[in-house]
């Protein structure tokens, strides 16, 4: 099992450009999450999905869109990148949300917006 | 609103020492608490998960305890090694609808040879 994978690993964008980050998991997990990690702010939830075809907003959703067309994939889109979106993005997944469900994280995507 | 705090922010110890990392949370209505390890420039590796009904979990040299009523968890590392140097994060789930993790800021541990 590959677990949770993310592509790309690194990306540099210019302000106003768009891009899509891909997260894939092979554990048949229902729940998937996108977090961003910033110095001094910790990890914050951007969007999440509780199953194929569903998405919902987290703490910091502005400027991002997501889609969960297939159970194993969760896409994070930036329509018009801004320097404030420079961050490390982590995808995570879990089987469910009950107490015994562990969340597994991908290796991260380091994004710089100039 | 749930808030998670980890103290200290950084810790340096000599190799072989036993140590304790602290995590506190403001709302005791949690479903579980997870401890993660993060190496520089890397992702998060899950170390231990404690369900709300449990008091502790152990994995090798690691032991995590949970006291829901006081809003505290500790991660005990026995016989520390230089390879234990990393940032340790704790996170709680307060909502069973979303499974959203709320993270502390982390404790950066350095174990000196």
């Amino acid at each position: 099992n590959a677990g949770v994978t993310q592509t790309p690993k690194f990306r540099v964008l210019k302000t106003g450009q768009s891009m899509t980050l891909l997260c894939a998991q092979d554990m048949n997990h229902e729940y998937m999450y996108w977090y961003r990690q910033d110095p001094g702010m910790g990890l914050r939830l951007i969007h999440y999905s509780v199953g194929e075809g569903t998405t919902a907003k987290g703490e910091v959703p502005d400027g991002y869109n997501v889609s969960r067309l297939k159970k194993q994939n969760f896409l994070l889109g930036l329509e018009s990148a801004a320097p404030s979106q420079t961050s490390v993005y982590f995808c995570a997944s879990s089987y469910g949300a009950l107490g015994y469900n562990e969340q597994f994280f991908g290796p991260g995507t380091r994004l710089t917006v100039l | 609103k749930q808030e998670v705090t980890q103290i200290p922010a950084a810790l340096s110890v000599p190799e072989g020492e036993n140590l304790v990392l602290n995590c506190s949370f403001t709302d005791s209505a949690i479903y579980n608490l997870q401890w993660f390890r993060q190496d520089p420039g890397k992702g998060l590796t899950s170390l231990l998960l404690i369900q709300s009904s449990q008091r502790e979990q152990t994995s090798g040299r690691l032991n995590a305890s949970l006291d829901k009523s006081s809003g505290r968890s500790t991660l005990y590392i026995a016989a520390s090694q230089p390879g234990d140097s990393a940032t340790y994060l704790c996170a709680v789930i307060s909502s069973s609808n979303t499974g959203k993790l709320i993270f502390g800021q982390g404790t950066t541990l350095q174990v000196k040879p």
Side-chain angles (χ1 to χ4, degrees):
Chain A
N1 285 356
V4 180
T5 58
Q6 294 181 234
T7 53
K9 289 185 171 53
F10 303 93
R11 186 73 185 267
V12 178
L13 289 179
K14 294 181 179 179
T15 296
Q17 288 184 318
S18 64
M19 78 163 294
T20 300
L21 283 67
L22 172 63
C23 175
Q25 52 92 7
D26 61 1
M27 297 175 281
N28 201 34
H29 284 171
E30 290 292 336
Y31 287 61
M32 296 187 75
Y33 310 86
W34 276 107
Y35 295 88
R36 60 177 289 174
Q37 185 177 36
D38 304 289
M41 303 294 289
L43 280 109
R44 295 175 292 170
L45 184 67
I46 305 171
H47 285 281
Y48 65 98
S49 168
V50 300
E52 181 179 321
T54 75
T55 63
K57 295 180 180 180
E59 293 176 78
V60 288
D62 294 342
Y64 305 95
N65 57 74
V66 287
S67 64
R68 183 100 181 268
L69 297 179
K70 294 182 179 181
K71 185 177 183 178
Q72 62 268 33
N73 295 338
F74 196 28
L75 278 63
L76 178 71
L78 286 72
E79 291 183 345
S80 180
S84 61
Q85 294 176 304
T86 293
S87 186
V88 182
Y89 292 86
F90 289 102
C91 176
S93 71
S94 65
Y95 187 74
L98 295 178
Y100 51 82
N101 288 293
E102 198 173 352
Q103 272 190 37
F104 296 89
F105 280 73
T109 295
R110 190 172 296 272
L111 176 66
T112 301
V113 182
L114 302 175
Chain B
K1 179 184 174 185
Q2 179 72 272
E3 293 183 358
V4 180
T5 303
Q6 293 184 248
I7 295 174
L11 182 63
S12 181
V13 300
E15 181 177 4
E17 192 163 298
N18 301 325
L19 60 101
V20 174
L21 305 181
N22 296 298
C23 173
S24 61
F25 45 95
T26 55
D27 186 346
S28 62
I30 65 170
Y31 287 88
N32 68 28
L33 183 146
Q34 268 187 265
W35 281 94
F36 295 89
R37 169 186 173 137
Q38 186 175 30
D39 293 289
K42 302 293 185 182
L44 280 70
T45 300
S46 179
L47 297 173
L48 290 164
L49 178 147
I50 310 179
Q51 297 178 51
S52 62
S53 59
Q54 297 175 323
R55 299 282 295 187
E56 65 177 349
Q57 281 287 340
T58 298
S59 176
R61 294 183 293 109
L62 304 179
N63 177 277
S65 68
L66 175 64
D67 184 343
K68 264 184 57 174
S69 60
S70 67
R72 293 181 181 181
S73 176
T74 62
L75 179 66
Y76 174 83
I77 303 177
S80 59
Q81 303 170 358
D84 295 330
S85 299
T87 296
Y88 291 82
L89 297 158
C90 73
V92 300
I93 290 180
S94 296
S95 167
S96 65
N97 291 328
T98 69
K100 165 188 166 183
L101 281 170
I102 299 171
F103 283 86
Q105 296 279 348
T107 294
T108 299
L109 172 66
Q110 182 183 33
V111 181
K112 296 180 179 179

